[in-house]
Each structure stands twice: as structure tokens, then as C-alpha cells.
Amino acid sequence: MLSMLLISTLTFLISLIVMMISTILAKKNLLDREKNSPYECGFDPKESARIPFSLRFFLIAVIFLIFDVEITLLLPIASTLNFSNLFAWFSVSLIFLFILLFGLYYEWSQGALDWS
């Protein structure tokens, strides 16, 4: 236990020392106007560097991430069946699935899943 504490402290101190040395030795000028501009060639930009993206695509991506997290929450439910009370496991699983299905129905009824 003491060796683990010693190793983790030593690792932390070495990384801290390396970060401090790199900060001291780095030759950066944060106030350089040309480097902060979207085009690093030295000319002032004529147009905005930001291009618009589809808000629908962003919404679908967020919904995908939400359901991806929900799947990771569903996976341990099957493995905990042998270690828990059957009634409690069944009721918690059913409530969780009901909440997920209700959210999916709500997104579907609001038109969030329609691409066109």
C-alpha cells in the first residue's frame, strides 16, 4: 500500500516538474494577432471562418449520444440478475425501460427523429 502511494506521488511530481519546465521554456506570445486569426498567412480574413452546419444533424448526434449512454446503463442490468432479488430486479428494469421508451416516444412525437 505504501509503495503504491509512493509511486503515485512520484509520478505526480515528475509530471508536475515536466509541465513547469515546458511552461518556462516555451516561447509563446499569446497576443500575436496573426496567429489568433482564422488564416495564419498574415492577411486579414474577408469572410467569417465559421461555416454553418445542419442543426438537424446536431440534434440527431445528441440523441445518438443519449441513447448510447442509456445502452451502457442497460448492459449491467443483465449481469446483476443472479446477484439480486428477482422482484426488485424486474421492477427496476421495467421502470428504466419504460422511462427510455417514453423518452423515445416523446422525441418521435415532437418530430426530432424525422430527417426531412
Side-chain angles (χ1 to χ4, degrees):
M1 184 69 178
L2 185 62
S3 64
M4 290 281 285
L5 183 64
L6 182 66
I7 290 173
S8 62
T9 306
L10 187 64
T11 306
F12 177 74
L13 286 176
I14 289 173
S15 63
L16 187 67
I17 289 170
V18 168
M19 284 191 300
M20 289 174 64
I21 290 172
S22 69
T23 304
I24 292 169
L25 295 178
K27 190 176 179 183
K28 281 187 174 178
N29 188 2
L30 297 178
L31 302 176
D32 192 11
R33 187 175 74 87
E34 284 81 18
K35 287 291 184 181
N36 289 332
S37 68
Y39 304 107
E40 292 187 4
C41 61
F43 297 107
D44 290 330
K46 294 179 182 176
E47 298 174 357
S48 175
R50 307 281 183 213
I51 56 173
F53 65 96
S54 173
L55 194 60
R56 285 304 246 187
F57 177 75
F58 178 73
L59 185 64
I60 294 293
V62 168
I63 291 172
F64 171 75
L65 284 175
I66 289 171
F67 278 107
D68 195 32
V69 170
E70 290 169 353
I71 287 173
T72 59
L73 292 174
L74 276 174
L75 285 175
I77 287 178
S79 64
T80 60
L81 175 62
N82 297 332
F83 305 113
S84 63
N85 183 6
L86 186 62
F87 179 73
W89 178 87
F90 188 71
S91 60
V92 168
S93 301
L94 228 106
I95 290 171
F96 186 69
L97 286 173
F98 179 73
I99 291 171
L100 292 183
L101 288 175
F102 180 73
L104 178 65
Y105 173 74
Y106 180 75
E107 289 171 355
W108 193 358
S109 68
Q110 294 295 317
L113 301 176
D114 295 330
W115 186 258
S116 59

